[in-house]
Amino acid sequence: MTDRDGYALAVADDALISAQRMGWWISRAPQLEEDVALANIGLDQLGQARALLASVGDEDELAYLRDERAFRNVHLVERDQSDFGVAMVRLLLFSAWQSELYAALRASSDPTLAGVAGKAVKEVAYHLDHASRWVVRLGDGTGESHRRVQDALEQEWPFLDELFDGSWLDSALVDQGVAVDPAGLRDGVLARVLPVLEEATLTVPEVSPARGGGRQGLHTEQMGYLLAEMQHLARSHPGATW
Amino acid sequence: MTTTTARDVAGSVLDPELPVLSIDDLGILRDVTEDDQGRVHVQITPTYSGCPAMETIRTDLVEALTTAGYQHVSVEFVLSPAWTTDWISDEGRRKLEEYGVAPPAPAGADGPVALTLSVRCPHCGSVDTRESSRFGSTACKALWVCQSCREPFDHFKTL
């Protein structure tokens, strides 16, 4: 696999795995409107992933038939998010990062990366806005909602750092203008996230970064369960259609 | 002359989720070319990255052009430049409103996503409306409610 394809896969897998977690919420969200919102957000992310996967190979094979070690997504998106506070905090962090990433990737020398980014940056603005509103509403809400969303923030914050780790990336790709240096996105992401946390009366956690490793194919235990659900049908019934 | 005809046929294909709008009204038809062998190549662009209507539109394009006598039809999805709601024609906006969907506000060039302050109810014309959900029945729409006539309605999100 070329370095370019490896980079496109990383960006695609983040979106794909996040979309799979979003899909879990359909029929389980606290309001009917929220079912629809999270489904639509997941659909946008899935669309971004599909266009990128298709530029690497067969999108179905890549999504349904790759083994866990071949996925390059970060740990932030793959872990269980069956708590609504966790889901919204994570969407805040992830969509803030996607906003910065896609804004920068619009200038990529790779036409697919630039094309996907140009569309996605506008979609992600809606995701970020949606997550921001919920985090403010929950953080600056009742004592119980504040406590739970603060707990969610403590849990998710250690996984933010992996997004800014560029050690897996060949620096030549950045020099050629194909990829964006992940480390350079940190200030922009924090500039989007910190004012939301402040308005939500939340405290920025003082926690050590998690170990990471997703870009090298090293995943958390929960990734296996996620893939089992996502890939089961395609693996058990090859070529199934409906 | 024939290219114009193929374009007319392609442009008249309806959007499956908003069947009052043609893909020409919606502004997603990019280009239609015909070579000297009679092969027609159509370029369309998705509204949203994950828009599930694209496959249906591809099928409808092939069917419409084949019915019109073009035997070799290919459809290509192009992403860049990214579609914007500003490409919906004036005719398209009028049809949307008639259909009960409030048309999008102007997006402007490459700026931040504009927040919509007030949307006119497509049923009674009142501007006393509120957003019920930022995300609606499809990726491109938000759900609004009119405070005057009490009817819910879709608003085509500005993108």
Side-chain angles (χ1 to χ4, degrees):
Chain A
M1 182 179 297
T2 64
D3 290 335
R4 179 269 169 206
D5 283 357
Y7 180 71
L9 267 189
V11 178
D13 286 347
D14 285 345
L16 174 66
I17 300 302
S18 180
Q20 179 70 12
R21 286 286 180 215
M22 283 296 155
W24 183 89
W25 281 100
I26 301 168
S27 81
R28 292 179 168 116
Q31 304 167 342
L32 185 58
E33 289 81 358
E34 198 57 27
D35 279 350
V36 175
L38 298 185
N40 271 310
I41 290 171
L43 193 60
D44 287 342
Q45 295 171 339
L46 185 62
Q48 296 155 18
R50 287 186 61 182
L52 291 168
L53 291 176
S55 76
V56 174
D58 181 288
E59 53 178 303
D60 284 341
E61 278 181 25
L62 287 166
Y64 295 132
L65 301 178
R66 254 186 309 161
D67 289 333
E68 182 179 319
R69 289 293 296 267
F71 277 84
R72 297 186 174 222
N73 57 281
V74 291
H75 291 182
L76 179 74
V77 294
E78 75 189 33
R79 292 148 39 253
D80 178 70
Q81 59 165 14
S82 52
D83 178 280
F84 187 70
V86 169
M88 288 303 106
V89 164
R90 191 180 298 178
L91 183 62
L92 172 67
L93 301 181
F94 184 60
S95 58
W97 175 75
Q98 278 196 321
S99 296
E100 291 295 312
L101 173 73
Y102 287 138
L105 270 182
R106 282 182 297 185
S108 172
S109 56
D110 180 277
T112 305
L113 286 165
V116 169
K119 283 207 68 59
V121 73
K122 300 197 284 179
E123 298 161 1
V124 170
Y126 276 101
H127 308 173
L128 178 61
D129 178 63
H130 189 72
S132 300
R133 287 170 182 231
W134 267 115
V135 168
V136 169
R137 189 167 157 193
L138 295 170
D140 194 19
T142 65
E144 171 70 3
S145 71
H146 176 87
R147 181 188 66 73
R148 285 180 58 179
V149 80
Q150 179 69 44
D151 285 351
L153 189 61
E154 305 275 342
Q155 180 190 308
E156 295 305 302
W157 197 259
F159 294 92
L160 188 59
D161 256 54
E162 190 182 358
L163 292 167
F164 309 127
D165 171 28
S167 61
W168 57 283
L169 187 64
D170 186 344
S171 59
L173 272 189
V174 177
D175 297 340
Q176 292 156 9
V178 173
V180 170
D181 177 17
L185 300 176
R186 183 189 294 270
D187 290 347
V189 171
L190 291 177
R192 289 176 184 272
V193 170
L194 295 180
V196 176
L197 299 183
E198 188 179 350
E199 193 186 346
T201 73
L202 296 168
T203 310
V204 178
E206 291 183 22
V207 285
S208 311
R211 193 171 50 175
R215 300 289 190 220
Q216 289 85 24
L218 302 172
H219 294 284
T220 63
E221 184 186 351
Q222 290 158 53
M223 181 70 171
Y225 293 98
L226 180 147
L227 289 180
E229 189 164 285
M230 188 172 92
Q231 298 185 331
H232 159 71
L233 192 85
R235 285 184 184 264
S236 301
H237 305 277
T241 57
W242 64 83
Chain B
M1 194 67 197
T2 41
T3 303
T4 315
T5 312
R7 193 191 162 92
D8 288 346
V9 173
S12 65
V13 166
L14 298 177
D15 177 273
E17 287 178 348
L18 291 160
V20 289
L21 287 193
S22 71
I23 62 172
D24 216 10
D25 291 331
L26 196 54
I28 65 169
L29 182 63
R30 260 310 148 63
D31 197 19
V32 182
T33 51
E34 187 186 354
D35 67 12
D36 50 15
Q37 311 283 317
R39 286 181 294 226
V40 177
H41 185 68
V42 183
Q43 287 187 324
I44 51 175
T45 191
T47 54
Y48 281 72
S49 301
C51 179
M54 293 305 285
E55 280 305 324
T56 310
I57 294 173
R58 181 207 293 271
T59 312
D60 291 350
L61 273 169
V62 172
E63 192 182 319
L65 285 161
T66 309
T67 306
Y70 298 93
Q71 293 307 312
H72 302 283
V73 181
S74 55
V75 180
E76 182 190 5
F77 297 154
V78 289
L79 287 175
S80 186
W83 180 82
T84 154
T85 40
D86 287 352
W87 294 353
I88 300 177
S89 66
D90 290 341
E91 175 74 358
R93 285 165 193 274
R94 190 186 59 71
K95 288 182 189 167
L96 271 178
E97 195 152 19
E98 265 181 28
Y99 187 59
V101 177
D110 236 15
V113 174
L115 292 180
T116 308
L117 294 178
S118 181
V119 173
R120 201 160 69 94
C121 171
H123 304 301
C124 74
S126 167
V127 289
D128 184 14
T129 57
R130 68 176 173 84
E131 185 182 74
S132 164
S133 175
R134 178 67 52 101
F135 295 86
S137 54
T138 64
C140 51
K141 288 176 280 183
L143 190 59
W144 282 63
V145 177
C146 178
Q147 318 262 47
S148 297
C149 72
R150 304 275 168 196
E151 287 290 330
F153 63 92
D154 279 330
H155 169 50
F156 209 114
K157 286 193 291 195
T158 301
L159 190 77

